[in-house]
Amino acid sequence: MAEIKYNWTYEEINTIFNTPLLELIYKAASVHRKYHAANRVQVSSLLSVKTGGCPEDCSYCPQAARYHTNVKVHKLMEVGEVLQSAQNAKANGASRMCLGAAWREVRDNKDFDRVLEMVKGINQLNMEVCCTLGMVTEEQAKKLEAAGLYAYNHNVDTSEENYSNIISTRNYDDRLNTIKNIRKTKITVCSGGIIGMGEKAADRVAMLQVLANLTPHPESLPINALVPVEGTPLENQQTASIWEMVRMIATARIVIPDTQVRLSAGRTQMSMEGQALCFMAGANSIFAGDKLLTTPNPDFNEDMEMFKILGLQPMEAFQHHKQKEKAVLND
Ligand code: SAM
Ligand code: DTB
Ligand code: SF4
């Protein structure tokens, strides 16, 4: 059950996904303990370095220019401001800093050069630095690598079949191609998706199958619960229940045992008990800080209180890889 493999069939994952919930949590918790220190949770900080005005039509996203949301467009931030923000996040216990830009793709211009400076600066703070900037070419990925980028986030978001219902301005292969370009470097891959967009259970299973058959596996796998934002096509969408979230996290943990599963967007809607079940089911990372990119996130002090109650400790930077090496040595 806890083996690492890259040839998962839809049926295999579907069987795991449909396991009675408590049994599923138990299995996922067992896998989690085999590959990770279960009391360690990575605290990442998110910063929107370029906000809104995006040409894409992702129906969940408040930053798409074509939807009328309350998001204020902001041009690319200055390097100094970003480094200050990273320093503050580090002082609050964050070991990873994730920079997001509302771009369709990276262009070879002054703005990209500035992002490279941000990456260099954060790397010097001894934090894991992650970027999510849209599509990248192999050459751009190499520049990010040279600047010291640790991870690149590029979500597949949903199943290939459902993709065109959510986004029409790019296709699934565009997404997979960027992941391939990142894989041509030493940068680690962060890729996951969103639940609660009106997709079927079959789409969730199919999405996990795509991620579980990427070779190598993504080192990090965010599971977001849709945050419905006024003005977007999904504004009235019924949000995913905590049970759906737990089932998704547990299945992800079992099919990709050694990844960091990130309990990402949607935590403001979840109780502490609900989040505890997510950690039990194998989630080992959160975004902390009162804002995600543009939407609210739980209060930082409340999260630290939750860690205290649940006996969780923030993970240090670059630990995940060290732990993985140790697990291999102990085998
Ligand atoms: N523009 C880049 C891209 O699309 O890859 C980077 C930024 S984009 C905001 C990063 C990810 O945030 C998306 O792939 C999506 O999974 C997630 N996201 C965006 N809006 C969301 C929402 N309302 N609820 C949950 N997740 C969301
Ligand atoms: C991911 O999967 N979730 C984060 C991070 N990667 C970049 C972003 C969540 C964004 C939620 C909507 C917003 O705040 O704008
Ligand atoms: Fe643009 Fe990314 Fe939002 Fe899509 S998810 S509209 S690409 S910022």
Side-chain angles (χ1 to χ4, degrees), residues 298-310:
D299 177 76
F300 179 79
N301 293 326
E302 272 172 38
D303 276 343
M304 290 308 109
E305 182 63 19
M306 172 171 78
F307 272 42
K308 209 164 125 199
I309 292 172
L310 302 180

Side-chain angles (χ1 to χ4, degrees), residues 249-261:
I249 287 172
T251 310
R253 170 53 71 220
I254 294 169
V255 297
I256 314 188
D258 61 343
T259 193
Q260 304 266 118
V261 177

Side-chain angles (χ1 to χ4, degrees), residues 69-103:
T69 66
N70 286 329
V71 167
K72 264 212 200 125
V73 176
H74 196 294
K75 62 178 179 14
L76 187 65
M77 286 171 72
E78 299 295 335
V79 177
E81 285 176 275
V82 173
L83 295 187
Q84 188 55 55
S85 177
Q87 250 153 359
N88 295 346
K90 188 179 177 183
N92 278 331
S95 60
R96 182 159 168 144
M97 188 76 196
C98 179
L99 310 180
W103 288 334

Side-chain angles (χ1 to χ4, degrees), residues 145-309:
E145 178 186 36
L149 190 71
Y150 184 76
Y152 196 83
N153 166 250
H154 204 65
N155 294 336
V156 295
D157 279 335
T158 187
S159 67
E160 180 165 17
E161 204 194 345
N162 190 37
Y163 204 71
S164 59
N165 298 326
I166 306 293
I167 298 153
S168 78
T169 48
R170 56 167 188 262
N171 60 39
Y172 218 63
D173 277 344
D174 292 330
R175 233 40 204 168
L176 296 175
N177 250 329
T178 287
I179 296 174
K180 268 192 206 141
N181 288 337
I182 295 294
R183 275 295 177 218
K184 292 175 185 154
T185 70
K186 286 203 213 89
I187 301 169
T188 61
V189 168
C190 171
S191 188
I194 309 179
I195 65 166
M197 301 191 293
E199 72 286 346
K200 300 190 200 79
D203 294 306
R204 297 179 188 174
V205 172
M207 178 181 94
L208 288 176
Q209 192 194 357
V210 168
L211 295 168
N213 289 341
L214 287 176
T215 315
H217 286 148
E219 285 80 2
S220 157
L221 195 163
I223 304 286
N224 295 277
L226 175 75
V227 180
V229 178
E230 209 182 313
T232 62
L234 296 180
E235 63 182 348
N236 295 320
Q237 193 64 48
Q238 166 88 45
T239 49
S241 75
I242 190 68
W243 310 118
E244 294 174 280
M245 199 65 186
V246 170
R247 189 174 287 287
M248 195 66 186
I249 287 172
T251 310
R253 170 53 71 220
I254 294 169
V255 297
I256 314 188
D258 61 343
T259 193
Q260 304 266 118
V261 177
R262 299 180 185 269
L263 169 56
S264 303
R267 286 199 303 117
T268 51
Q269 302 303 315
M270 297 174 199
S271 68
M272 199 186 291
E273 295 88 334
Q275 292 179 68
L277 280 174
C278 293
F279 295 127
M280 193 70 196
N284 61 349
S285 171
I286 59 163
F287 288 112
D290 48 11
K291 214 159 136 203
L292 288 165
L293 290 171
T294 66
T295 62
N297 199 39
D299 177 76
F300 179 79
N301 293 326
E302 272 172 38
D303 276 343
M304 290 308 109
E305 182 63 19
M306 172 171 78
F307 272 42
K308 209 164 125 199
I309 292 172

Side-chain angles (χ1 to χ4, degrees), residues 50 52-65 67 101-105 132-135 157 167 169-170 175 194 293:
K50 188 270 170 180
C54 183
E56 299 285 76
D57 70 351
C58 313
S59 34
Y60 47 77
C61 187
Q63 302 199 67
Y67 309 137
W103 288 334
R104 173 174 203 270
E105 75 248 302
T132 182
L133 314 169
M135 294 183 253
D157 279 335
I167 298 153
T169 48
R170 56 167 188 262
R175 233 40 204 168
I194 309 179
L293 290 171

